[in-house]
Amino acid sequence: MTALVPRRARRLASLAEALLTPHGMDRYLELVDPMLVRREIRGLVTGVRRQTPDTVTLTVRPSRAWRGHLAGQYVRVTVEIDGVRRTRCYSPAGSEHDGTLELTIKADPQGLVSRHLNRTVTLGSVLGLSTADGEFTLPSPRPRRILLLSGGSGITPVLSMLRTLAAEKYEGDLVFLHYSNGAEDALYRTELADLARRLPGLRVVHAFTHAKTGGDLHGFFSKEHLAEAAPWYPDAETFLCGPKPLMDSVREVFEADGIGAHLHTEEFAPPALTFDTENAEGQVRFARSGREVANSGKPLLEQAEEAGLSPEHGCRMGICFSCTQIKTSGCVRNAKTGETSSEENEEIQLCISVPVGDVEINA
Amino acid sequence: MTGLQDKLTPQQVEDFGRELDEIRQRIVADLGQVDVDYIHNVIKTQRALEVAGRGLLFAGFFPPAWVAGVAALSVAKILDNMEIGHNVMHGQYDWTRDPALSSQQFEWDTVAPSENWRHSHNYIHHTYTNILDKDRDIGYGILRMDPAQKWNPYYLGNPVYATLLALFFQWGVMLHDLEVDRVAKGERTWAENKPVLRKIVRKAGRQVGKDYVLFPLLTGPLAPLTFLGNATANLTRNLWAFSIIFCGHFPADVESFTEEETENESRGQWYLRQILGSANITGGKLFHVMTGNLSHQIEHHLFPDIPARRYPEIAGEVRAICEKYGLPYNTGPLHKQLFSVAKKIVKLALPWNGEPRTPATVESDKTLRAA
Ligand code: FES
């Protein structure tokens, strides 16, 4: 009997889809309430809180198509700014065992979306969401020793890991080492203190880069900090997310120690990509729209936009795959890895692929 | 025959093109929230009318409900096809990056699959506007709409074919993509048509299923009334769309061109051809919305990817530019334009070739010299 209900519901849904062809049910449901959509994922903002002057922490209740996230993954968040939809990736900060989403967004002075989210989102706002994605996750079974290391707003994916471990009553050695400028910038301070009280194996270490007092550690990351906070780090799994300089110095220490394999990272700022715009040659053809431009040496996403197209995209830094399109012919260089590839009909990410000579894209 | 190249001096064509480009740039830079709010409102209205229309037909035993239902559904279909579908699929809202407003993803409430139509309309018709043998919208491969199309006895049926096309317009548009006329001439093979055909069968199946099977069945004993109601709504939309579209390119004085005279066109000459090959219809605000602003066919052909709601706002400027360069700006009320189209359809049924094709240029020569 219980099994019959969803089946009948499904049949009703497909009848409704047939009746509402060609637009589909969501296009009608969203006019009643944007949260009613069935295929797309939306999120209703149910909480807005400011921990520091330049961040906002949103509690979001996702619509029914949401399938949850794993700690450390990210979601693509879409907002409409002056009529244009903009998408950026953010890592939820909550436990993966929690049905709601928590997003903490730092307003980047240059950042259109992050500033918009900080300034204009209020209770009851509806955001566009994607399913969760990303490989930066905790292995299962959980390792015996874990070091979570973050800087600034890079805290969110590792905090999600911490909260997940806390919800699972993790019993191993666990250190949460977080870098911020000073006490006023330290996100989630009270929650972290609270977690430290509840989870016996957890040690929370606050490092302040720009303050001389008030933290557990002071100054920029160093091997000494590491030895101090988690002396057992060589046989732990370390999860790291933060600004590039922090990531670089941590990586250096781990490489020098020969334990690079135990370090798991999430690229948090766009990797510095280099483009050779001087020596670019060839033509770029966008087959579907029939436009053709001379290769400028920039990533294909930018070249497409300069040609007046607006291909789908999200992060613009090679992580979200919303910009993936088929390259029908030609050779491209992946700006992240430097690899070139000239296979026909392969899927490439427009935002990090630079044409090498003539290229044709199915866009 | 005056060539398109002779209409304006090279310098004039260039200035003229630049002035139009400036209008375009100004509008593009100004696009924003109001445009999105506008199209969202139209969509909301369309969906509400559609739901209301379908709902009323459940009470179709009560004649006023049936009439109101058919009226609401007809308007919904017209809005869906014209102000929403046609314009969205032209990429007028692609800049919003909203998948529901994406030219590549939108599908409209008619049997012609959007993907096929984007090729035949957005690409072929808008690139080769009114070039004989290239623009397949001239007569849709069925009618003789231009004296330069060589007469043969088949064309005696011109008025009959036109009437049938008007009645079954959505099917005409759908078949248009198959280029059956070219298959018959051996210029295109059925194998090439396979992918187009597959999409057609799928799309038409769904549309027919919804309008003529599912909704009638759902209304139980009223099935015949619902069937009739849906057929009437489709018919109303067909007649309306046919009228508006034919008034856009076929009233008297609209020019057509040969392949030779349009070879190596400059941007300015392309603009020029769009103006000479299109015609507007005058009317009120609501009328413009119901035509999808294709009552501003001239502006639409100049800037097919600018949101149509902007056409009325630039029409005055476009007209002034035409006057400045001594170019015609073909416009008139619906009845006048329709009559002019009908006359052409009837006249061209006979082996009549019309006067030599000089309408626009003769008087413009004078103005040009004065300018
Ligand atoms: S835009 Fe995210 S991968 Fe290209």
Side-chain angles (χ1 to χ4, degrees):
Chain A
M1 185 63 212
T2 41
L4 282 178
V5 178
R7 201 184 305 157
R8 195 190 288 155
R10 242 180 291 137
R11 254 193 239 137
L12 268 180
S14 64
L15 175 66
E17 287 289 351
L19 292 171
L20 297 176
T21 191
H23 304 304
M25 213 186 324
D26 279 359
R27 297 282 84 82
Y28 294 83
L29 289 175
E30 70 186 355
L31 298 178
V32 182
D33 176 351
M35 289 296 290
L36 285 179
V37 291
R38 299 170 54 93
R39 284 172 198 269
E40 282 166 41
I41 313 176
R42 305 259 168 88
L44 179 73
V45 175
T46 57
V48 179
R49 160 167 89 93
R50 287 178 195 283
Q51 306 187 51
T52 64
D54 62 349
T55 65
V56 66
T57 299
L58 306 174
T59 314
V60 178
R61 182 166 58 74
S63 61
R64 50 189 290 169
W66 173 248
R67 290 284 162 271
H69 79 289
L70 293 177
Q73 287 187 311
Y74 58 85
V75 288
R76 289 189 283 279
V77 176
T78 303
V79 289
E80 194 177 303
I81 305 175
D82 199 18
V84 183
R85 297 221 174 174
R86 310 276 176 173
T87 303
R88 296 291 184 274
C89 299
Y90 294 103
S91 303
S95 150
E96 65 184 47
H97 305 297
D98 186 352
T100 64
L101 273 176
E102 181 178 304
L103 302 171
T104 290
I105 298 132
K106 184 170 178 232
D108 170 352
Q110 279 356 296
L112 186 66
V113 174
S114 66
R115 276 187 306 146
H116 175 87
L117 286 167
N118 269 272
R119 270 206 238 120
T120 46
V121 170
T122 52
L123 282 182
S125 297
V126 174
L127 309 172
L129 298 174
S130 71
T131 48
D133 224 329
E135 308 284 293
F136 183 61
T137 52
L138 288 170
S140 12
R142 309 302 190 205
R144 214 169 38 78
R145 287 180 154 163
I146 300 177
L147 168 60
L148 301 173
L149 212 173
S150 60
S153 51
I155 193 171
T156 54
V158 285
L159 179 63
S160 174
M161 292 177 173
L162 176 61
R163 284 168 158 176
T164 300
L165 293 169
E168 292 169 1
K169 308 219 162 27
Y170 177 74
E171 282 173 347
D173 294 324
L174 179 58
V175 164
F176 191 90
L177 168 55
H178 179 65
Y179 282 80
S180 49
N181 288 336
E184 65 297 339
D185 285 319
L187 291 160
Y188 291 103
R189 244 191 137 181
T190 28
E191 279 101 325
L192 286 168
D194 200 45
L195 278 173
R197 266 193 301 280
R198 288 200 343 249
L199 203 64
L202 169 66
R203 185 170 165 223
V204 172
V205 182
H206 282 285
F208 293 159
T209 49
H210 290 73
K212 297 226 154 27
T213 54
D216 307 304
L217 297 166
H218 299 93
F220 286 103
F221 172 85
S222 64
K223 193 167 175 174
E224 288 72 55
H225 277 189
L226 201 53
E228 173 100 35
W232 38 252
Y233 75 90
D235 35 67
E237 295 299 320
T238 297
F239 296 85
L240 162 70
C241 181
K244 191 164 186 309
L246 173 68
M247 309 262 292
D248 286 346
S249 24
V250 176
R251 237 182 245 127
E252 222 171 86
V253 170
F254 276 70
E255 294 300 336
D257 287 352
I259 49 167
H262 294 285
L263 180 65
H264 312 276
T265 58
E266 174 76 317
E267 237 30 87
F268 160 76
L273 305 178
T274 49
F275 309 114
D276 182 4
T277 48
E278 305 274 273
N279 303 310
E281 43 186 73
Q283 288 291 112
V284 183
R285 228 183 86 70
F286 299 97
R288 219 183 310 135
S289 58
R291 289 197 208 179
E292 187 166 336
V293 294
N295 174 20
S296 66
K298 290 196 216 159
L300 281 162
L301 181 61
E302 273 175 59
Q303 300 206 35
E305 286 172 345
E306 276 158 20
L309 308 179
S310 29
E312 253 204 71
H313 67 270
C315 63
R316 308 187 75 103
M317 51 170 140
I319 58 172
C320 70
F321 290 88
S322 7
C323 63
T324 301
Q325 299 273 5
I326 306 235
K327 179 198 70 189
T328 39
S329 68
C331 174
V332 293
R333 184 168 51 85
N334 181 319
K336 258 166 97 178
T337 62
E339 272 168 41
T340 53
S341 121
S342 42
E343 233 164 282
E344 262 178 41
N345 289 323
E346 72 174 327
E347 296 200 329
I348 57 162
Q349 290 159 275
L350 296 187
C351 67
I352 50 160
S353 298
V354 181
V356 182
D358 292 343
V359 164
E360 184 176 279
I361 307 296
N362 208 356
Chain B
M1 207 187 272
T2 33
L4 189 54
Q5 299 93 326
D6 310 328
K7 295 235 148 123
L8 300 173
T9 67
Q11 183 58 46
Q12 281 171 326
V13 175
E14 205 182 294
D15 294 343
F16 160 80
R18 196 176 20 79
E19 286 188 48
L20 288 169
D21 278 337
E22 278 164 15
I23 296 184
R24 182 196 164 77
Q25 277 150 17
R26 199 188 66 223
I27 299 292
V28 168
D30 189 48
L31 294 180
Q33 197 65 49
V34 275
D35 300 276
V36 181
D37 290 346
Y38 170 81
I39 195 72
H40 280 159
N41 270 333
V42 178
I43 289 175
K44 255 189 221 159
T45 311
Q46 187 272 331
R47 304 281 142 91
L49 281 167
E50 187 183 352
V51 171
R54 303 267 184 209
L56 280 164
L57 286 177
F58 278 80
F61 52 85
F62 181 53
W66 189 87
V67 173
V70 171
L73 198 54
S74 306
V75 176
K77 281 185 182 267
I78 288 172
L79 283 177
D80 177 278
N81 287 188
M82 309 200 71
E83 184 69 333
I84 305 168
H86 171 269
N87 292 335
V88 165
M89 289 192 285
H90 259 292
Q92 294 182 357
Y93 294 93
D94 277 3
W95 54 275
T96 65
R97 299 188 188 142
D98 178 350
L101 296 178
S102 148
S103 62
Q104 302 300 316
Q105 292 175 45
F106 194 86
E107 189 57 79
W108 54 355
D109 183 10
T110 139
V111 289
S114 60
E115 202 181 330
N116 297 348
W117 181 85
R118 277 197 300 269
H119 174 80
S120 66
H121 178 89
N122 282 16
Y123 170 55
I124 302 288
H125 168 61
H126 274 271
T127 314
Y128 304 113
T129 315
N130 284 27
I131 301 181
L132 283 164
D133 297 327
K134 289 206 110 177
D135 181 0
R136 305 198 61 264
D137 277 23
I138 299 180
Y140 284 70
I142 310 173
L143 306 175
R144 183 165 182 246
M145 289 310 297
D146 194 279
Q149 283 169 285
K150 211 169 129 350
W151 185 86
N152 65 53
Y154 160 87
Y155 287 126
L156 284 171
N158 226 24
V160 180
Y161 314 143
T163 312
L164 288 172
L165 181 59
L167 292 173
F168 298 101
F169 193 57
Q170 64 163 342
W171 298 94
V173 172
M174 180 191 90
L175 293 173
H176 189 46
D177 297 329
L178 281 176
E179 309 194 8
V180 181
D181 50 320
R182 288 185 57 210
V183 177
K185 280 192 229 147
E187 292 169 8
R188 192 180 160 92
T189 66
W190 275 112
E192 285 176 77
N193 260 342
K194 257 215 185 124
V196 180
L197 197 62
R198 206 175 316 122
K199 281 182 209 118
I200 285 182
V201 170
R202 203 159 147 246
K203 177 74 197 291
R206 287 191 186 173
Q207 291 289 123
V208 168
K210 148 180 101 150
D211 276 342
Y212 299 122
V213 183
L214 287 180
F215 272 110
L217 282 181
L218 273 182
T219 51
L222 298 183
L225 281 178
T226 312
F227 183 98
L228 194 67
N230 292 350
T232 313
N234 278 326
L235 174 71
T236 314
R237 183 269 324 273
N238 285 352
L239 291 173
W240 180 256
F242 171 88
S243 309
I244 300 305
I245 288 157
F246 271 63
C247 284
H249 294 291
F250 307 121
D253 296 342
V254 171
E255 297 193 37
S256 51
F257 312 93
T258 60
E259 282 182 57
E260 302 83 67
E261 65 180 329
T262 54
E263 253 166 43
N264 308 318
E265 264 178 343
S266 67
R267 177 99 180 131
Q269 282 165 332
W270 183 86
Y271 274 141
L272 182 58
R273 175 159 56 82
Q274 303 304 325
I275 290 181
L276 299 177
S278 316
N280 282 5
I281 316 170
T282 51
K285 214 170 164 192
L286 184 64
F287 172 75
H288 292 316
V289 173
M290 292 299 287
T291 66
N293 275 301
L294 290 181
S295 47
H296 291 93
Q297 189 73 244
I298 298 177
E299 287 73 22
H300 173 59
H301 262 269
L302 291 172
F303 313 117
D305 55 356
I306 281 183
R309 67 176 287 272
R310 300 287 191 146
Y311 298 152
E313 126 190 13
I314 56 173
E317 274 172 90
V318 171
R319 191 173 189 154
I321 292 178
C322 288
E323 265 157 35
K324 178 170 163 196
Y325 290 91
L327 300 168
Y329 183 90
N330 194 326
T331 186
L334 182 63
H335 62 89
K336 186 194 134 214
Q337 301 292 63
L338 262 182
F339 182 70
S340 175
V341 172
K343 212 162 97 187
K344 200 183 242 184
I345 290 172
V346 174
K347 258 197 198 168
L348 290 174
L350 302 169
W352 178 85
N353 279 321
E355 304 97 38
R357 194 175 58 87
T358 49
T361 351
V362 175
E363 56 170 324
S364 67
D365 279 347
K366 279 183 260 138
T367 348
L368 275 186
R369 247 172 270 125

